[in-house]
Amino acid sequence: MSVDEDASGGASKLGDDDGTSFPRVSRRTVIQAVLGLTLAIAIIAWGLPHFAESSWPQIWHHLDRVGWMVTLELFGLVALGLWLYTFTLTGSLPGLSHSKALMMNVAGSSVGNLLPGGGAAGVGVTYLFGRTWGFSRLSISTSIIVSGVWNVLARVGLPFLGIAMLSLDETALPKSVRRGALVGGIGGLIVLLAFIAMLVSEKWAGRFGVFLDKHIGHWIARLRRGPKKGQRVDMKAVLQNQRVRLASVTKTGWFPMTVGVTGFLGIYFVLFWRTMAAVGVDIPTPKLFAAYAIGRLLTAVGVTPGGLGITEAGTLTVLVAWGADKPAAAAGVLLFAIFTHIFEVPLGALGWLGWWLSPKVTPPD
């Protein structure tokens, strides 16, 4: 039965104490956000001119080439990519509509873009939204795990695809790229094997639950509302009790989840390509894709929010090493960061507003 059907069956509205209010932000969270953003800004302010061996006036000269039509085109690509990712969420959480999935996605991403290691906070947002829309704890935790596995597999697979594209180029493949692809491939294989083990073994499901509880349990506890506010969820028990559900969701949702993840990453590569073209970066497409793949991996670095600053510095270094115009490459990575990171914050605010205005229902458990 879908969530809407549950709601039409007479579910009562939630009161403020049951989850319609925004979660409180602690002083520690604010300090982490301020320090992380300060570090990211410092890296960008110093790192881009340094690694590009240029100056900010030279970088801004290339940014001035971007007109309103190009800006609208790039924003349209961002919107398309975010909408495509809703297929991953609806595939992993049956009963979730695409509009609600979009709210959940942009709201969670905006939190992740403001906090170092903010992916865990984004998971907490997913849990909060899902609960207030009437989804069970088991359904939400299944969605978080399955969609998380799909994301990891897709992102670590990018370097392998980059190598395949670079093989078409006459230039020798740099050792750093080969090493990064190898590490990414091993990481993806480990994730895949762990997921399969969790499906077939109650013991391994418990171990993965302990891992999740350690890394995201405190975020979920802080976002719980009502009498259970602050109480941790036993992720070990959750996973051990829902192994069959994990297998069922994977069996029925693998195709839309794959379409969502690959479509999102694919559109964002088009965004990366069009951004570089707009500022005057002209290098072979295989190398451009490899630089993009490296940048997507660096977003997982938890020192700054969403890897901001670190991602741009790493991507710029690769582009310059492969012969891109230095000031243009710096302008390109900055512009790409604005569209994929900065713009997601106001979009996230709209997602929070949509959640605030959306009907709330009593969850089944």
Side-chain angles (χ1 to χ4, degrees):
M1 180 179 291
S2 68
V3 176
D4 293 335
E5 289 171 339
D6 287 339
S8 65
S12 61
K13 298 288 183 181
L14 290 173
D16 285 345
D17 291 336
D18 294 314
T20 59
S21 60
F22 288 99
R24 295 179 181 178
V25 180
S26 67
R27 181 182 301 176
R28 178 182 176 184
T29 300
V30 173
I31 294 175
Q32 287 178 332
V34 171
L35 291 178
L37 288 173
T38 301
L39 178 59
I41 293 172
I43 294 174
I44 290 176
W46 173 83
L48 293 191
H50 173 75
F51 291 112
E53 299 178 0
S54 59
S55 63
W56 275 109
Q58 291 175 306
I59 295 173
W60 284 113
H61 172 73
H62 289 274
L63 288 173
D64 284 340
R65 299 176 53 172
V66 182
W68 282 106
M69 292 300 294
V70 173
T71 300
L72 290 176
E73 175 194 355
L74 299 179
F75 183 79
L77 289 171
V78 170
L80 178 58
L82 293 174
W83 177 78
L84 280 172
Y85 189 75
T86 64
F87 284 89
T88 299
L89 296 177
T90 57
S92 64
L93 188 56
L96 181 69
S97 66
H98 284 273
S99 59
K100 288 182 176 179
L102 185 59
M103 294 180 209
M104 184 182 287
N105 182 26
V106 296
S109 295
S110 66
V111 172
N113 287 345
L114 292 173
L115 291 172
V123 168
V125 172
T126 299
Y127 186 84
L128 172 65
F129 280 31
R131 290 294 287 165
T132 59
W133 287 333
F135 290 96
S136 69
R137 294 183 180 89
L138 287 178
S139 297
I140 299 169
S141 57
T142 299
S143 173
I144 291 170
I145 295 164
V146 175
S147 61
V149 169
W150 249 248
N151 271 283
V152 171
L153 291 176
R155 289 176 187 273
V156 299
L158 282 177
F160 281 105
L161 184 55
I163 283 181
M165 296 185 70
L166 282 171
S167 66
L168 303 176
D169 194 86
E170 296 179 357
T171 306
L173 189 66
K175 291 182 179 180
S176 59
V177 177
R178 292 198 300 266
R179 189 181 302 113
L182 178 61
V183 172
I186 294 174
L189 181 60
I190 291 174
V191 170
L192 180 60
L193 292 176
F195 185 65
I196 294 174
M198 183 178 59
L199 294 181
V200 301
S201 169
E202 182 177 355
K203 178 180 178 180
W204 279 99
R207 289 181 176 178
F208 191 51
V210 171
F211 173 82
L212 289 177
D213 186 66
K214 178 180 178 181
H215 288 84
I216 68 173
H218 66 288
W219 284 104
I220 294 177
R222 288 169 59 184
L223 288 171
R224 297 184 74 177
R225 318 302 295 173
K228 293 187 177 181
K229 178 177 175 60
Q231 181 179 336
R232 293 178 72 98
V233 178
D234 188 348
M235 295 301 295
K236 177 180 179 180
V238 167
L239 292 193
Q240 289 178 329
N241 291 335
Q242 68 160 358
R243 286 169 51 230
V244 175
R245 185 177 184 86
L246 282 168
S248 176
V249 169
T250 302
K251 180 179 179 179
T252 59
W254 72 269
F255 183 72
M257 287 190 296
T258 302
V259 169
V261 171
T262 57
F264 169 77
L265 292 175
I267 289 297
Y268 267 43
F269 169 64
V270 176
L271 173 67
F272 184 75
W273 166 54
R274 293 298 300 148
T275 298
M276 293 300 161
V279 297
V281 174
D282 183 19
I283 63 174
T285 301
K287 291 183 177 180
L288 201 62
F289 183 84
Y292 166 75
I294 292 172
R296 292 303 86 194
L297 284 176
L298 290 175
T299 58
V301 177
V303 178
T304 60
L308 183 64
I310 296 174
T311 299
E312 286 66 45
T315 305
L316 174 59
T317 301
V318 173
L319 289 171
V320 169
W322 281 335
D325 180 82
K326 295 176 182 179
V333 297
L334 177 61
L335 186 61
F336 186 69
I338 291 173
F339 277 97
T340 60
H341 195 103
I342 307 301
F343 272 16
E344 285 191 0
V345 175
L347 289 177
L350 293 177
W352 278 102
L353 178 62
W355 168 78
W356 178 267
L357 298 175
S358 65
K360 311 297 189 301
V361 299
T362 303
D365 59 353

